[in-house]
Amino acid sequence: MESPVPRTRAIAPTLKKPPARPRSKAVAPLSANSATTTQSPTEETTRRPRGRPRKTAEELDDGNRRRKLMDGAAKLFRTQGFAATSTRDIAAAAGMHSGSPFYHFESKSALLYAVMSEGMTMATQSQQQALDALPTTATPREQLHTLIRHHFEILLGPRSSFIPVMLYEWRSLTPAQRKGIARIKDSYEATWMPVLEVLAQQGALQAEPGVARLFIFGALNWAVQWFSPKKGKSLDALTDEALALFIRS
């Protein structure tokens, strides 16, 4: 009679084993969760594009529409003035619907800033390229000639509207925007200083370098008011005459 009791007791631990099975099963969801966790980067990777801009910088261009907007806006800002130009006018100039400019620029003010900042940035880059193209034996006079010729190109060339817009619509920028443009403009003009300083040391410059720079840019920039290619003078000829004004032969 005593033997059944131990058997019954022996069975009891065996009966307790089934609860242990759910524990192992309980681990399964954890490993499933961990599997989900290890897969989440993949899921996040697939989801990340949703948080990115809908289009890349290249796609945002969308057939050069952004550039057309900027070029059209620059011409209108130059001829009509910033205040008198509506976004409808800008869209029409680019062959777009009236609300399309806001797809690329959050406001007309942002478009004005883009016209100036991108124009000055491109001018700074092309100016350096023009200097880099000179032979290492180029004299300071030849360097200044190159700087003046390049400046006339961005003032009076095919895509020259952004400089007059910058000159005449400076008041339309916000204080923060003015600081941004001033930094690019200062970088552009700073490239001239080493050349002017050497010319001053040689006695060829007609004024102190810092003052000469102000006079030179004032004179060159004013050309947008009176120069006309219809009068027959080329930019090369204009450059030669400007150079003769600023330095001694």
Side-chain angles (χ1 to χ4, degrees):
M1 295 295 294
E2 293 177 357
S3 59
V5 175
R7 288 177 186 172
T8 306
R9 288 177 182 175
I11 293 170
T14 307
L15 293 175
K16 289 180 181 180
K17 289 182 180 178
R21 291 177 184 172
R23 289 180 187 174
S24 61
K25 290 180 180 178
V27 176
L30 290 176
S31 53
N33 288 339
S34 60
T36 304
T37 304
T38 54
Q39 290 176 0
S40 61
T42 306
E43 293 176 1
E44 286 177 4
T45 304
T46 58
R47 291 175 184 174
R48 276 176 192 165
R50 298 179 186 174
R52 294 176 182 172
R54 291 185 178 180
K55 295 188 177 183
T56 63
E58 205 171 303
E59 290 170 333
L60 272 175
D61 195 331
D62 196 17
N64 290 324
R65 287 186 180 181
R66 187 177 188 275
R67 174 52 56 188
K68 286 182 180 178
L69 278 172
M70 292 180 63
D71 289 345
K75 291 175 183 175
L76 289 171
F77 292 157
R78 179 179 180 177
T79 56
Q80 298 180 182
F82 174 76
T85 301
S86 67
T87 53
R88 188 181 295 273
D89 295 333
I90 296 167
M96 302 167 75
H97 295 297
S98 59
S100 297
F102 296 112
Y103 180 79
H104 300 278
F105 303 95
E106 62 182 12
S107 65
K108 190 173 73 165
S109 177
L111 178 52
L112 175 65
Y113 179 74
V115 166
M116 295 186 191
S117 63
E118 294 191 24
M120 278 306 305
T121 298
M122 288 189 297
T124 302
Q125 294 170 349
S126 60
Q127 175 178 257
Q128 190 57 52
Q129 290 169 358
L131 287 175
D132 292 342
L134 288 172
T136 55
T137 56
T139 66
R141 181 187 177 94
E142 291 169 337
Q143 292 175 32
L144 183 59
H145 184 281
T146 296
L147 289 170
I148 293 173
R149 178 62 177 81
H150 171 268
H151 195 67
F152 275 139
E153 185 65 32
I154 65 168
L155 276 174
L156 308 169
R159 295 175 63 182
S160 58
S161 293
F162 76 91
I163 288 282
V165 170
M166 186 179 72
L167 295 174
Y168 306 133
E169 294 297 341
W170 183 260
R171 66 188 182 280
S172 300
L173 295 172
T174 67
Q177 289 173 336
R178 289 175 192 169
K179 289 181 180 179
I181 299 299
R183 281 193 295 269
I184 308 172
K185 176 177 170 289
D186 290 346
S187 175
Y188 178 86
E189 295 183 6
T191 304
W192 294 56
M193 287 304 295
V195 178
L196 295 176
E197 287 168 355
V198 173
L199 287 168
Q201 292 169 6
Q202 294 175 348
L205 197 62
Q206 307 259 33
E208 183 271 325
V211 175
R213 178 180 61 83
L214 296 174
F215 274 125
I216 289 172
F217 277 105
L220 298 183
N221 290 341
W222 191 249
V224 300
Q225 291 288 342
W226 55 263
F227 177 78
S228 173
K230 295 178 181 179
K231 294 180 179 179
K233 192 177 290 294
S234 68
L235 295 185
D236 289 331
L238 200 64
T239 299
D240 291 338
E241 294 183 7
L243 188 66
L245 280 175
F246 305 136
I247 62 174
R248 299 182 179 92
S249 301

